[in-house]
Amino acid sequence: MAAQTVASTTDSAAGTSVDLGPAAALSCRECGHRVPLGPVFACEECFGPLEIAYDFSAYDTEELRKRIEAGPANIWRYAPLLPVPADVATKPNINPGWTKLVQADNLARELGVDAGKLFVKDDSGNPTHSFKDRVVAQAIEAARAFGFTTLSCSSTGNLAGAVGAAAARAGFRSCVFIPHDLEQGKVVMAAVYGGDLVGIEGNYDDVNRFCSELIGDPAGEGWGFVNVNLRPYYAEGSKTLAYEICEQLGWRLPDQIVVPIASGSQLTKIDKGLQELIKLGLVEDKPYRIFGAQAEGCSPVSTAYKAGHDVVRPQKPNTIAKSLAIGNPADGPYVLDIARRTGGAVEDVTDEQVVDAIKLLARTEGIFAETAGGVTVGVTRKLVESGALDPSLTTVVLNTGDGLKTLDAVAGTGMTATIRPSLDSFREAGLA
Amino acid sequence: MAAQTVASTTDSAAGTSVDLGPAAALSCRECGHRVPLGPVFACEECFGPLEIAYDFSAYDTEELRKRIEAGPANIWRYAPLLPVPADVATKPNINPGWTKLVQADNLARELGVDAGKLFVKDDSGNPTHSFKDRVVAQAIEAARAFGFTTLSCSSTGNLAGAVGAAAARAGFRSCVFIPHDLEQGKVVMAAVYGGDLVGIEGNYDDVNRFCSELIGDPAGEGWGFVNVNLRPYYAEGSKTLAYEICEQLGWRLPDQIVVPIASGSQLTKIDKGLQELIKLGLVEDKPYRIFGAQAEGCSPVSTAYKAGHDVVRPQKPNTIAKSLAIGNPADGPYVLDIARRTGGAVEDVTDEQVVDAIKLLARTEGIFAETAGGVTVGVTRKLVESGALDPSLTTVVLNTGDGLKTLDAVAGTGMTATIRPSLDSFREAGLA
């Protein structure tokens, strides 16, 4: 690939020189304007989102592949492709990633996908049992580089736990904001790490707006909001899903990938990760399709997709898939573009279909997914039935969270019977 | 090590020839009587517990080390040392293991252990988030070999989930038995995989007795009870904790290791695993100390240890550490022997100390442990304070489960504040 000009790595905002490995500058996704690395997220020219521009020019493909393969069994094997210093693996963090890519033949049979072609990328294996550990790990390194000592975020729950855990281990104070009515598992998990946890009377979009206010206020000064002023770094963590999937497939691109949509950031970064691997020569260049999955009760992107719109009209969320309940998804338009450009689609499922899909995945593959995993599996079923997804091609479905955090969704699941400890009682229950 | 005579591998019970890799026979732990591999667990001569006898005579140390290091990132890297066929990794199972060994410097500081010397082996990273996935994976292979189609167990909760998940993926029917009053997380997790889940009115010891009755009854015919008639195979799964700890320490034995005690099987098999690595030349032979950890409300082994007894008097459990609430631990006498022989100890902590230790581990290392992890961390603190554990030596503390399954223990942990989405409300709450 072509060498990129290395912009100044002097951080104008914090006033210190930062080492974030191959990250060379921030670049506006809309107008391409470049600024030095710093805790900023919007373009000063056009207000477009800033993202990381890298200098990968020094890499030799085979050396890079070997370096990755010899790396640790976590996301830091991909440190050469992330905005982190080269010695990142030696610093205290919770080291997420390198989760299982499960060949899901039982599920394939039920969905009508060819044997050996369906895989579940199971991110419930991360330290706090969601993919959020990947993005927070990047934000932590940026926070270190920029000298922040308090980490914060707006969260639908999973992110709160991920920030709490990572901050605790890395030695940051944390203060995170969540909707006041989250699942108990997510509340306790966010609180147990000892940081401040603040419930906001409102939904996620209200929490998000509040954080944007706080960041411009003296009260929020010196705080690193992982998904606001550290967002360009944070978001890159999702690329590691793409890297791992390809490496675990034997350095091959999947043909089709089904990704949940909350803000849409994850889907866009998975596409970015796949493109990087192609440009670096680590995988063969070939077409792939990216599909987005939403819950019907919060489906602004699939609604726009189906209507043929380029803009996404905000919705008021009402779904059990709370980790996807972002009614005004920042990256919605980019998701629409990627789905259309790659020949994918955006689809949604009802809450009932989400629950059915959670149970289906559990009884076929022994994977207990969060509601977001029910959304992707349910959407995959729907896409196979409609013919949008080709059942003869290699397909990866993401499970981004853990069923233990959304127990209410399957609360009807319980004991077959309760009996006395005797064979007579066992026989009476009809279980013999 | 000396070559062992290979006993007949004809399975007299199932009437078929079985391939369980290096497993050569079953051998009585008490009298040494050997019988062919089969679904039996008690010695026909003396009623002592049967365990696996291996033939490791063909292994060259350096070749074995290389083979292990080139293996998959799960327990099957140790297939040459387990009672499983050589091609085990190609069969459908949930592939537990290779969980993180976390260098816990923040926790070390709080406990008064030297920097760089304290490690947490965090088995919450397993597929169903407890170490039970390791033992069930072995039982599944034995069940396949012996032709069972239904898997069963008595469980304090974690095992039920592990059996449910593994059975679902491997294509077995499952019917598991648990005390009727378990934590909701464990009940739902055990039920969601679609097998039968039966609550027994009684405690774990009642459930266990019921299963022993069932196994001798026509109603239980053809059932593989992972922790009864498949117990010799099942129990070997705990050896993988010892293997992983040593490999992750750079093929070195830890000096001290703190292990929770339920039945005591895990602790005895960790000792067995360490001894095997020494005999195989994979680690240098040197002394190590094994410490057992119990909750005060179910402390039959620590009570016997402190009283200087060789026998363990059963107790009626009353503790929040339900996964350790076995009042009549089958391997209790062996635990006493190992703790004394290695210069370790057996200690217990109150439920309050368990909760404090859960929070301590969370806020120092970002690890949210189950109550059993609170027991080991709490006991470690007590052992350092008493001088029984040397703070200058390499010490590994086991966390065998996940905090999400025992939320009730830390239910008092929650939001710092609930506010309206405004800066004024934020300031009023005193959080700025």
Side-chain angles (χ1 to χ4, degrees):
Chain A
M1 64 184 297
Q4 296 174 328
T5 307
V6 180
S8 160
T9 54
T10 300
D11 164 32
S12 57
T16 55
S17 170
V18 299
D19 169 17
L20 289 172
L26 294 174
S27 166
C28 176
R29 184 158 180 147
E30 289 296 330
C31 74
H33 178 68
R34 284 167 78 103
V35 294
L37 296 170
V40 289
F41 59 103
C43 177
E44 59 199 351
E45 299 289 324
C46 76
F47 303 105
L50 295 174
E51 55 180 15
I52 311 283
Y54 294 95
D55 179 6
F56 293 156
S57 58
Y59 296 145
D60 170 83
T61 301
E62 285 317 307
E63 270 174 30
L64 179 60
R65 190 196 310 272
K66 276 183 201 147
R67 185 170 155 193
I68 291 169
E69 289 175 349
N74 58 50
I75 54 170
W76 305 131
R77 65 199 287 115
Y78 306 109
L81 305 177
L82 295 170
V84 295
D87 66 347
V88 62
T90 66
K91 300 180 186 230
N93 60 55
I94 59 174
N95 299 327
W98 204 240
T99 56
K100 293 180 198 302
L101 183 72
V102 177
Q103 185 174 320
D105 287 349
N106 297 333
L107 179 63
R109 209 159 31 238
E110 298 254 3
L111 296 186
V113 173
D114 290 4
K117 294 296 185 182
L118 187 64
F119 297 83
V120 175
K121 178 64 175 171
D122 185 14
D123 247 17
S124 66
N126 277 316
T128 71
H129 307 322
S130 90
F131 95 98
K132 291 291 187 185
D133 291 327
R134 297 177 184 272
V135 286
V136 170
Q138 317 302 316
I140 287 262
E141 294 311 313
R144 274 194 239 269
F146 301 136
F148 292 126
T149 53
T150 295
L151 282 184
S152 185
C153 67
S154 53
S155 171
T156 57
N158 279 327
L159 180 56
V163 167
R169 179 155 163 85
F172 289 82
R173 182 200 164 208
S174 68
C175 180
V176 305
F177 301 93
I178 58 175
H180 66 116
D181 62 348
L182 279 191
E183 300 96 334
Q184 192 213 0
K186 286 181 181 165
V187 172
V188 172
M189 189 157 194
V192 77
Y193 304 105
D196 283 318
L197 179 70
V198 181
I200 298 279
E201 292 166 1
N203 61 28
Y204 176 75
D205 298 291
D206 297 316
V207 180
N208 217 8
R209 266 193 302 276
F210 168 72
C211 285
S212 299
E213 273 187 70
L214 183 54
I215 211 167
D217 189 87
E221 209 168 305
W223 288 26
F225 288 79
V226 301
N227 54 349
V228 189
N229 57 352
L230 298 176
R231 190 173 186 84
Y233 310 90
Y234 163 92
E236 296 294 289
S238 291
K239 292 195 311 180
T240 59
L241 278 163
Y243 300 156
E244 289 182 17
I245 288 167
C246 290
E247 185 178 353
Q248 290 170 324
L249 287 173
W251 293 110
R252 283 192 305 118
L253 290 168
D255 298 312
Q256 304 174 122
I257 178 164
V258 184
V259 182
I261 301 171
S263 74
S265 168
Q266 185 184 63
L267 188 146
T268 67
K269 295 300 177 180
I270 286 174
D271 182 55
K272 188 181 183 193
L274 297 176
Q275 288 297 322
E276 287 175 349
L277 295 186
I278 292 169
K279 286 185 193 137
L280 287 161
L282 287 167
V283 297
E284 198 183 351
D285 190 4
K286 71 165 192 63
Y288 57 83
R289 298 179 195 156
I290 301 189
F291 297 85
Q294 297 208 293
E296 189 183 87
C298 182
S299 52
V301 187
S302 79
T303 301
Y305 176 82
K306 291 173 184 176
H309 295 162
D310 292 331
V311 292
V312 171
R313 186 177 303 179
Q315 291 183 358
K316 199 170 169 67
N318 180 21
T319 168
I320 57 168
K322 292 187 184 175
S323 64
L324 304 182
I326 298 184
N328 188 13
D331 286 337
Y334 302 123
V335 167
L336 290 172
D337 177 56
I338 291 167
R340 287 175 179 140
R341 178 166 46 76
T342 65
V346 186
E347 188 51 274
D348 56 82
V349 283
T350 65
D351 283 0
E352 197 183 340
Q353 290 170 319
V354 171
V355 173
D356 285 349
I358 290 173
K359 291 181 184 171
L360 174 64
L361 181 61
R363 77 174 161 78
T364 52
E365 303 298 342
I367 295 170
F368 183 23
E370 208 209 62
T371 43
V375 168
T376 51
V377 171
V379 161
T380 302
R381 159 167 268 171
K382 208 166 162 181
L383 291 168
V384 173
E385 284 168 3
S386 74
L389 194 137
D390 186 334
S392 72
L393 299 178
T394 298
T395 302
V396 176
V397 180
L398 263 59
N399 172 40
T400 51
D402 201 290
L404 280 174
K405 295 200 204 175
T406 56
L407 286 175
D408 289 351
V410 288
T413 312
M415 300 198 201
T416 314
T418 301
I419 64 171
R420 294 184 307 283
S422 78
L423 291 170
D424 282 349
S425 186
F426 179 69
R427 287 198 192 88
E428 277 162 29
L431 292 158
Chain B
M1 63 184 297
Q4 296 173 328
T5 308
V6 179
S8 161
T9 53
T10 302
D11 164 33
S12 56
T16 55
S17 171
V18 299
D19 169 16
L20 289 172
L26 294 173
S27 165
C28 176
R29 185 160 177 145
E30 289 295 329
C31 74
H33 179 66
R34 282 168 79 102
V35 293
L37 296 170
V40 289
F41 58 104
C43 177
E44 59 199 350
E45 299 288 325
C46 76
F47 303 107
L50 296 174
E51 56 179 17
I52 311 283
Y54 294 95
D55 179 7
F56 293 156
S57 59
Y59 297 145
D60 170 85
T61 302
E62 285 317 308
E63 271 174 28
L64 179 59
R65 191 196 310 272
K66 275 183 202 148
R67 186 169 154 194
I68 290 170
E69 289 175 349
N74 58 50
I75 53 171
W76 304 131
R77 64 199 287 111
Y78 306 109
L81 306 178
L82 295 169
V84 295
D87 66 347
V88 62
T90 66
K91 300 179 187 230
N93 60 55
I94 59 174
N95 299 329
W98 204 239
T99 56
K100 292 180 198 304
L101 183 72
V102 177
Q103 185 175 319
D105 287 350
N106 296 334
L107 179 63
R109 209 160 31 239
E110 298 254 3
L111 297 186
V113 173
D114 291 4
K117 294 296 185 182
L118 187 64
F119 296 84
V120 175
K121 179 63 175 170
D122 185 13
D123 247 17
S124 67
N126 277 316
T128 71
H129 307 321
S130 90
F131 95 98
K132 291 292 186 183
D133 291 327
R134 299 177 182 271
V135 286
V136 170
Q138 316 302 315
I140 288 261
E141 293 312 313
R144 275 195 237 271
F146 302 136
F148 292 126
T149 53
T150 295
L151 283 184
S152 185
C153 67
S154 53
S155 170
T156 57
N158 279 327
L159 180 57
V163 167
R169 178 152 163 86
F172 289 82
R173 183 203 164 206
S174 68
C175 181
V176 305
F177 301 93
I178 57 175
H180 66 115
D181 61 349
L182 280 191
E183 299 96 334
Q184 192 212 2
K186 287 182 181 165
V187 172
V188 172
M189 188 157 195
V192 76
Y193 304 106
D196 283 318
L197 178 70
V198 181
I200 297 281
E201 292 166 1
N203 62 27
Y204 176 74
D205 298 290
D206 296 317
V207 179
N208 218 7
R209 266 193 301 276
F210 167 74
C211 285
S212 299
E213 273 187 70
L214 184 54
I215 211 168
D217 189 87
E221 210 168 304
W223 287 27
F225 288 79
V226 301
N227 54 349
V228 189
N229 57 352
L230 298 176
R231 190 171 187 84
Y233 309 90
Y234 164 92
E236 296 294 289
S238 291
K239 292 194 310 178
T240 59
L241 278 162
Y243 301 155
E244 290 182 17
I245 288 167
C246 291
E247 186 178 353
Q248 290 171 324
L249 287 173
W251 293 110
R252 283 191 306 117
L253 290 167
D255 298 313
Q256 305 175 121
I257 178 163
V258 184
V259 183
I261 301 172
S263 74
S265 169
Q266 185 184 62
L267 188 146
T268 66
K269 294 301 177 181
I270 285 175
D271 182 55
K272 189 182 182 192
L274 298 177
Q275 289 296 323
E276 287 174 350
L277 294 186
I278 292 170
K279 286 187 190 134
L280 288 160
L282 287 166
V283 297
E284 199 184 349
D285 190 3
K286 71 165 192 64
Y288 58 84
R289 299 179 194 155
I290 302 190
F291 296 84
Q294 296 209 292
E296 190 183 86
C298 182
S299 53
V301 187
S302 78
T303 301
Y305 176 83
K306 290 173 184 176
H309 295 162
D310 292 331
V311 293
V312 171
R313 188 177 302 180
Q315 291 183 358
K316 200 171 171 64
N318 179 21
T319 169
I320 58 169
K322 291 187 184 174
S323 63
L324 304 182
I326 299 185
N328 189 12
D331 286 337
Y334 301 123
V335 168
L336 291 172
D337 177 54
I338 291 167
R340 288 173 179 143
R341 178 166 47 76
T342 65
V346 186
E347 188 51 274
D348 55 83
V349 282
T350 65
D351 281 1
E352 197 183 340
Q353 290 170 321
V354 171
V355 172
D356 285 349
I358 290 173
K359 291 181 183 170
L360 174 64
L361 181 62
R363 78 174 160 77
T364 52
E365 304 297 342
I367 296 171
F368 183 22
E370 209 210 60
T371 43
V375 169
T376 50
V377 171
V379 160
T380 303
R381 159 167 267 171
K382 209 165 161 180
L383 291 169
V384 173
E385 285 168 1
S386 73
L389 194 138
D390 186 334
S392 71
L393 299 178
T394 299
T395 302
V396 176
V397 180
L398 262 60
N399 172 40
T400 51
D402 201 288
L404 280 174
K405 295 200 205 176
T406 56
L407 287 174
D408 289 351
V410 288
T413 313
M415 300 198 201
T416 313
T418 302
I419 64 171
R420 294 185 306 282
S422 78
L423 291 170
D424 283 346
S425 186
F426 179 69
R427 287 197 192 88
E428 278 162 26
L431 292 158

